[in-house]
Amino acid sequence: MRVIQFREALREALNEEMRADKSVFLMGEEVAEYNGAYKVSQGMLEEFGEERVIDTPIAELGFAGIGVGAAMNGLRPIIEFMTFNFSLVAIDQVINSAAKVHSMSGGQFNCPIVFRGPTASAGQLGAQHSQAFENWFANTPGLKVVVPSTPYDAKGLLKASIRDNDPVIFMESEQMYGDKGEVPEGEYIIPIGVADIKRKGKDVTIVTFGKIVHVVLAACVELEKEGISVEVIDLRTVRPIDYDAIFESVKKTNRLVVVEEAWPLASISGEITYKVQKEAFDYLDAPVARVTSRDVPLPYAMNLINEALPNIERITKAVKGVLYK
Amino acid sequence: MPKTPLFSPKDFYFCWLTNLIAMTKTMAKKETKEKYGKETYLKWYELMFLIRKFEEKAGALYIQQKIRGFCHLYIGQEAIVAGCEAVLTPEDKMITTYRDHAHPIGRGMHPKFIMAELFGKITGCSKGKGGSMHMFSKEFNFFGGHGIVGAHIPLGAGIAFADKYNGNKAVTLCFMGDGAVRQGAFHEALNMAMTWKLPVIFIIENNQYAMGTSVERTSNVTDLYKLGLAYDMPSFPVDGMKCEAVANAVEEAAARGRKGEGPTLLEIRTYRYKGHSMSDPAKYRTKEELKCYQEQDPINDVLAKIKDKKYASEKEIEAIEEKVKAMVEEAVQFAEQSPFPTIDELYKDVYSQPDYPYIMD
Ligand SMILES: Cc1ncc(C[n+]2csc(CCOP(=O)(O)OP(=O)(O)O)c2C)c(N)n1
Ligand SMILES: [Mg+2]
């Protein structure tokens, strides 16, 4: 199969959906003339023109709100945040407007909008540019939250997100844009809310999503050498969460580790742990473990970052912990 | 709280007019007065040359991967920090964006603490926790480099609020880029600062681009100082390639602030010679445009005046340059030789409460 970059997979999804539906447009900082801060939208201005690929001032609150208004009035905006750290400037429009209009209007208005961009850390960028907010958005009813980990998933899920009639938060990673993966020619859709088994195994289940999937898979290679077989479930969507996929795997392995880049309090891992103890208590042979970012803002120094983020060492330790090894 | 007078369109034009008159006066003064002498010019030269050499070194070390993350250089904009420092007191405050290596040097910090921060070392001015975008120094009244465009502008007003509240005579200089003025936070802060007469000087370092986006592409209002007029704020454009022009404008604004007359907005027009950050090839502008500004280079300008007025001999100028180069070398050595933070630093400085119960699993 053909191999393309993550950014190219996203671009294909954007291009295909924009060709198919005139109501779809792309708006954000540096998306047009600069071809995207991370070159996701390369060439799109040329193809679709400045009416549909729109550079904004640095005014996230304003252009997120303009997106919501346009969505309420029949368009299907794709709003790019240069990173989700900056979405906090706009979060009022995401939570108080996008997520609410359908419900507040008694179903009269809907909000088919995609807010997308990179999330979480990307090297030594300091505390304000290194935050994973998947759980923040996942907390809010009215939103759907997609966090793909491969070019294949990214393309299929972005197409589904653009076609979805509800607001979707679509979270990528600066560190994945150059990743290569197999993506078939032609169109396909991956439904929102369905997890994917990225590795089959029998001893322990790891549930994870987004960029951290790759750290987990690297840890699995190490664990394999020690004879430990791990099943890796990539959630792909953290709202809604595919709980059935988790229960099914846990019923087989009887041990669960959840890995994510967000901070621990009120995290996706906390939520999954609650559900698993409630629905699959009798199947667990050990308490659920998790690996998250440390409970601190991410500092700049590399040695502190290595210690603060989920890494191979912490993941293997957690896996051995649930195996009592 | 002062009573808000009724506002009519006539007032609006009047405000425009007074502002224009004040502006013309300021500009006229610049032409005639020779208020800066030998000492100031030599200080300007040394400070700007230091900033330039420091930034060139930082750029080179970034390419060698000694410095990581985002790294935004100040090359071309030196006259702004230099001009400001000529008329400030150590009690005055500063806050700025992520383009923040020069401001603490201007405040008087030894560059070695900035270089160590760029290396992520514990001896850095933010203990290696901030990095390029987050220099801080309480000692030098430098309230930080901030990473979210526009977000620190209300903070600048708040710092001034505290000084007014406590009856201090200090003023706060709140720097920002041209891109930041399109954020709501800018407008909210200007409105409140003017309403409450806060002693803050909002300084737009208009280097004409926000990443790849030129000012003209972001609004119909491209004379950025005019944005302050909507709030009745004294607002002026300033030539940012000339230390004298910057110093004059800031001196007047600071005097207003200290007298309780409230804030000023200065649009200081400048240019960054390098890309937005180390990863930006800056293809959105022409070589000619860059050259046009390099021909007005503020360091050359000051040096020419020093030579013209015979403020220093060739030898004395050389001595300044040697001193600066030695300082930059010292900064690099200090950064190289300093240790990284120890791992226990991860859980330090997050809360003031020393025994805060972190989640540790
Ligand atoms: C809220 C927010 N949006 C976007 C960014 C990404 N970003 C960082 S700097 C920058 C351009 C800012 O330009 P300007 O204000 O002119 O300052 P300059 O870099 O030219 O000094 C952008 C878009 C950010 N840091 N914060
Ligand atoms: Mg700028």
Side-chain angles (χ1 to χ4, degrees):
Chain A
M1 206 190 289
R2 134 191 113 120
V3 170
I4 61 172
Q5 284 184 356
F6 202 104
R7 61 164 62 83
E8 292 169 327
L10 293 170
R11 191 186 307 144
E12 281 190 358
L14 295 169
N15 282 335
E16 286 171 14
E17 292 308 301
M18 283 185 59
R19 282 171 202 145
D21 183 350
K22 180 86 205 303
S23 66
V24 180
F25 68 93
L26 175 66
M27 179 183 269
E29 291 157 21
E30 309 288 358
V31 298
E33 287 195 19
Y34 199 75
N35 285 303
Y38 298 101
K39 304 295 171 236
V40 170
S41 54
Q42 182 123 41
M44 289 181 65
L45 172 64
E46 204 176 329
E47 175 168 354
F48 298 104
E50 59 188 27
E51 254 149 56
R52 297 181 70 195
V53 181
I54 304 162
D55 276 329
T56 64
I58 308 170
E60 286 85 359
L61 181 67
F63 68 74
I66 286 171
V68 174
M72 289 173 72
N73 197 19
L75 298 185
R76 306 184 78 86
I78 301 162
I79 301 295
E80 177 173 313
F81 292 124
M82 197 176 280
T83 82
F84 266 95
N85 298 285
F86 315 142
S87 79
L88 296 202
V89 177
I91 200 165
D92 176 54
Q93 295 294 6
V94 178
I95 308 291
N96 273 325
S97 300
K100 300 294 191 291
V101 291
H102 195 59
S103 153
M104 287 192 305
S105 69
Q108 296 176 77
F109 288 96
N110 68 334
C111 190
I113 190 169
V114 176
F115 296 102
R116 51 158 289 272
T119 182
S121 69
Q124 291 177 258
L125 301 186
Q128 293 182 320
H129 281 71
S130 305
Q131 307 172 91
F133 289 127
E134 298 88 37
N135 56 329
W136 283 43
F137 293 104
N139 183 251
T140 302
L143 301 179
K144 297 178 182 178
V145 184
V146 178
V147 198
S149 70
T150 65
Y152 175 81
D153 290 350
K155 178 172 178 184
L157 281 163
L158 184 53
K159 286 172 71 75
S161 301
I162 296 168
R163 293 185 192 185
D164 202 283
N165 286 327
D166 291 309
V168 178
I169 310 294
F170 192 94
M171 306 177 99
E172 306 151 14
S173 162
E174 290 100 312
Q175 291 178 322
M176 285 198 295
Y177 286 133
D179 285 3
K180 289 185 173 164
E182 291 188 342
V183 175
E185 308 268 357
E187 296 201 28
Y188 64 95
I189 296 274
I190 297 174
I192 291 173
V194 181
D196 182 46
I197 298 175
K198 285 288 187 291
R199 185 188 167 102
K200 285 246 170 236
K202 58 180 186 10
D203 299 330
V204 176
T205 299
I206 296 183
V207 171
T208 184
F209 53 91
K211 180 186 78 190
I212 296 294
V213 166
H214 302 284
V215 185
V216 167
L217 290 172
C220 292
V221 173
E222 297 303 310
L223 288 160
E224 178 94 276
K225 289 179 195 157
E226 298 181 43
I228 299 169
S229 156
V230 181
E231 179 142 299
V232 178
I233 296 187
D234 176 0
L235 287 178
R236 301 198 293 195
T237 302
V238 296
R239 185 178 186 106
I241 289 174
D242 186 353
Y243 288 114
D244 289 339
I246 302 172
F247 299 151
E248 206 175 304
S249 180
V250 168
K251 284 177 183 172
K252 185 173 77 180
T253 63
N254 311 112
R255 291 162 212 276
L256 175 63
V257 176
V258 189
V259 185
E260 68 180 314
E261 196 177 321
W263 294 298
L265 204 151
S267 57
I268 300 292
S269 54
E271 176 61 24
I272 289 172
T273 306
Y274 164 77
K275 276 288 198 189
V276 168
Q277 63 84 32
K278 184 160 181 281
E279 304 292 334
F281 188 76
D282 292 338
Y283 294 91
L284 286 174
D285 286 347
V288 177
R290 71 173 168 192
V291 179
T292 65
S293 278
R294 303 284 188 198
D295 198 13
V296 298
L298 198 70
Y300 168 76
M302 197 60 217
N303 62 331
L304 297 183
I305 290 179
N306 288 338
E307 176 59 28
L309 294 180
N311 57 30
I312 293 178
E313 195 191 327
R314 289 176 63 201
I315 294 165
T316 50
K317 197 170 154 208
V319 166
K320 288 178 188 172
V322 299
L323 285 163
Y324 299 109
K325 282 195 176 170
Chain B
M1 221 44 44
K3 256 205 201 147
T4 331
L6 271 179
F7 208 73
S8 72
K10 222 173 67 203
D11 292 325
F12 180 75
Y13 290 114
F14 180 70
C15 133
W16 253 92
L17 206 65
T18 37
N19 199 70
L20 275 175
I21 292 166
M23 220 173 81
T24 339
K25 271 198 212 153
T26 319
M27 302 222 280
K29 242 185 270 170
K30 262 180 277 168
E31 309 294 339
T32 53
K33 259 196 182 166
E34 268 202 29
K35 53 190 230 202
Y36 305 105
K38 172 178 166 176
E39 203 187 322
T40 307
Y41 276 95
L42 292 180
K43 263 196 198 149
W44 276 339
Y45 185 62
E46 180 173 330
L47 175 56
M48 291 197 291
F49 192 69
L50 174 58
I51 294 170
R52 177 78 50 99
K53 289 294 144 192
F54 181 91
E55 293 290 61
E56 284 171 3
K57 195 66 178 180
L61 290 164
Y62 189 91
I63 289 161
Q64 292 172 35
Q65 302 197 346
K66 295 271 186 188
I67 298 170
R68 308 300 297 265
F70 292 142
C71 184
H72 311 83
L73 303 180
Y74 202 65
I75 296 177
Q77 304 181 204
E78 294 91 344
I80 300 180
V81 161
C84 290
E85 282 298 343
V87 294
L88 295 184
T89 72
E91 286 69 47
D92 294 326
K93 318 287 194 296
M94 269 189 192
I95 184 167
T96 190
T97 67
Y98 44 82
R99 198 177 296 285
D100 65 347
H101 307 166
H103 303 74
I105 297 181
R107 296 265 68 197
M109 190 196 284
H110 195 291
K112 68 185 185 183
F113 300 115
I114 298 157
M115 193 61 90
E117 190 58 38
L118 293 173
F119 276 59
K121 300 296 181 77
I122 187 74
T123 52
C125 61
S126 304
K127 294 194 193 161
K129 298 178 182 187
S132 168
M133 299 194 282
H134 307 303
M135 305 291 167
F136 282 85
S137 172
K138 199 165 183 180
E139 182 189 351
F140 290 100
N141 276 322
F142 181 64
F143 283 68
H146 297 260
I148 305 302
V149 170
H152 71 289
I153 304 171
L155 271 57
I159 296 162
F161 180 95
D163 274 329
K164 183 176 167 151
Y165 191 91
N166 287 326
N168 296 340
K169 280 288 163 229
V171 295
T172 298
L173 270 62
C174 178
F175 297 88
M176 68 201 78
D178 45 277
V181 305
R182 310 308 182 192
Q183 286 284 33
F186 169 80
H187 294 271
E188 295 178 28
L190 256 66
N191 182 47
M192 284 183 272
M194 193 59 205
T195 308
W196 298 335
K197 299 276 184 288
L198 303 180
V200 53
I201 308 172
F202 297 106
I203 295 181
I204 305 166
E205 300 197 42
N206 181 1
N207 60 15
Q208 311 184 38
Y209 292 89
M211 286 193 169
T213 306
S214 63
V215 171
E216 305 79 67
R217 294 209 291 122
T218 63
S219 175
N220 290 325
V221 184
T222 55
D223 286 332
L224 303 181
Y225 74 93
K226 287 182 184 164
L227 296 173
L229 301 178
Y231 305 101
D232 259 6
M233 189 181 295
S235 305
F236 310 100
V238 179
D239 180 352
M241 304 310 260
K242 298 263 182 302
C243 289
E244 302 89 339
V246 174
N248 283 336
V250 173
E251 188 178 35
E252 286 181 13
R256 266 192 296 280
R258 290 189 222 283
K259 276 190 281 184
E261 291 172 12
T264 300
L265 176 66
L266 300 178
E267 178 201 350
I268 307 190
R269 291 176 181 162
T270 181
Y271 203 77
R272 64 166 154 74
Y273 297 176
K274 303 283 175 183
H276 167 74
S277 68
M278 289 301 295
S279 53
D280 170 27
K283 286 184 190 150
Y284 41 81
R285 62 186 194 187
T286 61
K287 282 201 183 87
E288 291 69 39
E289 183 179 298
L290 172 61
K291 203 167 147 251
C292 163
Y293 285 94
Q294 282 174 325
E295 278 163 9
Q296 314 169 46
D297 185 75
I299 305 184
N300 288 343
D301 180 64
V302 161
L303 184 60
K305 284 170 187 155
I306 289 173
K307 288 182 176 169
D308 185 46
K309 299 197 167 129
K310 305 210 167 28
Y311 285 154
S313 66
E314 287 293 340
K315 249 206 158 128
E316 286 164 325
I317 292 166
E318 218 171 88
I320 293 175
E321 290 169 358
E322 288 312 312
K323 181 181 157 195
V324 163
K325 285 178 192 158
M327 254 173 124
V328 173
E329 253 338 287
E330 185 193 345
V332 177
Q333 266 183 25
F334 177 76
E336 290 272 13
Q337 287 162 8
S338 294
F340 286 106
T342 49
I343 295 301
D344 61 321
E345 283 292 332
L346 203 51
Y347 289 101
K348 288 186 185 163
D349 307 323
V350 179
Y351 290 90
S352 331
Q353 180 188 337
D355 58 350
Y356 178 83
Y358 294 95
I359 296 174
M360 298 296 275
D361 77 313

